[in-house]
Amino acid sequence: MVESTRVRSKRLSFSGKKTLSSFMQVNIASLRQSGKLRTSETYRATLNSFMKFMDGKDVLLSNMDAELMMGYETYLKEQGASMNTVSFYMRILRATYNRAVDKGVIRQRFPFKHVYTGVEKTVKRAISFKVIRQLKEMDLSHSQSMEFARDMFMFSFYTRGMSFIDMAYLKKSNLQNGFLSYRRKKTNQQLLIKWEKPMQEIIDKYDTMGSSYLLPIILDAEADERKQYKSAAQLVNSKLKKLGEQIGLPIPLTSYVAKHNAFAI
């Protein structure tokens, strides 16, 4: 009798919190209270990613099924996520879902049975400093799009591997007193980077008069900013791939390679 009352009280304590977002918020708060700040940040990043996939719409835990999670896996791959990143998000969502099952909030439906939750050996993406210099010195005046892609790659490299989405949303106000200060979109982490001459040289090449943004990625303040960012990201990665092929790189050249090189060289 005592045990059944305890189980019932657990279920009641989570009444009204049967959506993924609300249930994860409870877990995130609990992790923070117990001092597990880093873990809470990974849960927050996972929730933010999934909510983007859902276009901001929450989902009932009871409605999470294999089809939905397979759709999320496809979305992550289309966004350029590695299989290890896919697995990282899926394992956090699975842990959250299983916790809800354990607490009697929902019954087990095994929504993660068809998605990837393993760990792949990471392919080395770093390239030599010689190749970085070769990219920097290439004459690309014949193609504005190629030159733009190369410059965005170099800007990411100079800024210690800044992600393309963070570059897109950089404001001129982020640059003050010789330092670039910004928050990562993915984790909300605050970063501070010393402003160097090569960064300024790239900025000086492009006309951003009348824009509040530092780089020429989001060009029209009246249009959908996210669409502009995604379109520019696709263009840059397409042109970088061609540049990599031109110089005979053994791996595809993408904006992610700049991040790996920023920490490898």
Side-chain angles (χ1 to χ4, degrees), residues 72-84:
Y72 179 48
E73 181 179 55
T74 299
Y75 163 82
L76 289 173
K77 291 176 181 177
E78 289 174 347
Q79 296 297 304
S82 68
M83 291 309 296
N84 282 342

Side-chain angles (χ1 to χ4, degrees), residues 14 16-26 28 43-44 46-65 68-69 93 96-97:
F14 278 92
K17 297 187 181 301
K18 294 184 179 180
T19 66
L20 175 66
S21 179
S22 60
F23 191 78
M24 283 192 78
Q25 297 284 5
V26 171
I28 290 167
Y43 271 64
R44 172 68 64 187
T46 301
L47 178 58
N48 289 344
S49 171
F50 188 78
M51 292 302 286
K52 283 183 180 178
F53 160 67
M54 295 293 293
D55 290 325
K57 297 176 183 176
D58 207 350
V59 60
L60 290 172
L61 286 164
S62 58
N63 285 344
M64 290 178 68
D65 57 20
L68 178 65
M69 301 320 300
L93 288 174
T96 301
Y97 182 89

